[in-house]
């Protein structure tokens, strides 16, 4: 016969990674991290913190993937902390043109996705309110649920853009 196999699908909230990158960029800029050894210690601290937290909950992709993601987050945060890194006139022409084209293409898509998420939230507000009432019983539960939903907001925008563009979202 046909046996059923369990499949675990994990979803990383993009909002948490984005928040980590922005906080790391801001604190690194305020601390004046400019030299390579200090930046390496900062990146190692981010990775060590993520690895330590990974022992509190199961990690579906393995700790090697977690380490690679943590290094990417640390590198982006440290890169964004450098003064003038976002000034395009300092970039090579090919990179500058590619970044400008990507910005012109992605900003309207992200705006469309955000608008569609808001429209879907407004149209489904009764269902959302019913779910909130069933899940969150006290005020702190409502706050925790709202923060968790905010962490997944960038994921919703990406999914909405994929749905609006046509291909949708598939697993497998």
């Amino acid at each position: 016969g046909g046996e059923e196999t369990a499949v675990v699908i994990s979803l990383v909230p993009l909002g948490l990674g984005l928040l980590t990158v922005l906080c790391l960029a801001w604190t690194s800029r305020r601390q004046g991290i400019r030299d390579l050894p200090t930046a390496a210690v900062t990146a190692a601290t981010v990775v060590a913190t993520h690895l330590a937290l990974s022992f509190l909950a199961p990690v579906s992709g393995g700790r090697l993937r977690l380490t690679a993601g943590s290094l990417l987050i640390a590198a982006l945060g440290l890169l964004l902390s450098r003064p003038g890194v976002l000034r395009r006139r300092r970039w090579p022409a090919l990179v500058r043109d590619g970044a400008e084209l990507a910005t012109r293409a992605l900003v309207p898509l992200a705006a469309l996705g955000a608008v569609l998420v808001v429209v879907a939230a407004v149209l489904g507000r009764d269902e959302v309110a019913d779910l909130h009432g069933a899940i969150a019983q006290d005020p702190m539960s409502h706050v925790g649920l709202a923060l968790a939903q905010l962490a997944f907001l960038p994921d919703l925008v990406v999914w909405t853009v994929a749905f609006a563009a046509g291909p949708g979202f598939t697993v497998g």
Side-chain angles (χ1 to χ4, degrees):
E3 286 188 31
E4 291 185 26
T5 58
V7 177
V8 176
I9 298 173
S10 63
L11 178 66
V12 177
L14 296 176
L16 292 180
L18 181 63
L19 183 64
T20 305
V21 166
L22 294 176
C23 287
L24 182 60
W26 181 74
T27 56
S28 298
R29 183 175 293 152
R30 289 206 28 112
Q31 294 298 319
I33 295 176
R34 299 285 176 259
D35 59 299
L36 187 59
T38 308
V41 168
T42 303
T45 303
V46 170
V47 172
T49 303
H50 286 166
L51 284 173
L53 290 172
S54 76
F55 288 102
L56 298 176
V59 178
S60 63
R63 289 193 170 73
L64 183 61
R65 279 182 58 188
L66 177 91
T67 303
S70 298
L71 281 173
L72 177 66
I73 285 173
L76 283 173
L78 290 169
L79 180 68
L80 290 175
S81 72
R82 312 256 330 150
V85 75
L86 295 178
R87 292 190 196 115
R88 292 185 184 156
R89 66 178 177 266
R90 299 174 81 185
W91 297 356
L94 184 64
V95 174
R96 185 176 52 245
D97 293 344
E100 185 177 332
L101 183 62
T103 302
R104 286 183 184 180
L106 294 177
V107 167
L109 282 175
L112 173 68
V115 167
L116 290 175
V117 166
V118 169
V119 167
V122 168
L123 292 177
R125 68 183 175 274
D126 293 334
E127 294 172 34
V128 171
D130 291 342
L131 287 172
H132 265 270
I135 295 173
Q137 299 299 323
D138 57 81
M140 287 309 294
S141 297
H142 284 286
V143 170
L145 189 57
L147 289 175
Q149 289 171 340
L150 284 175
F152 284 103
L153 193 58
D155 294 82
L156 290 174
V157 170
V158 170
W159 284 355
T160 305
V161 167
F163 183 77
F169 180 78
T170 60
V171 177

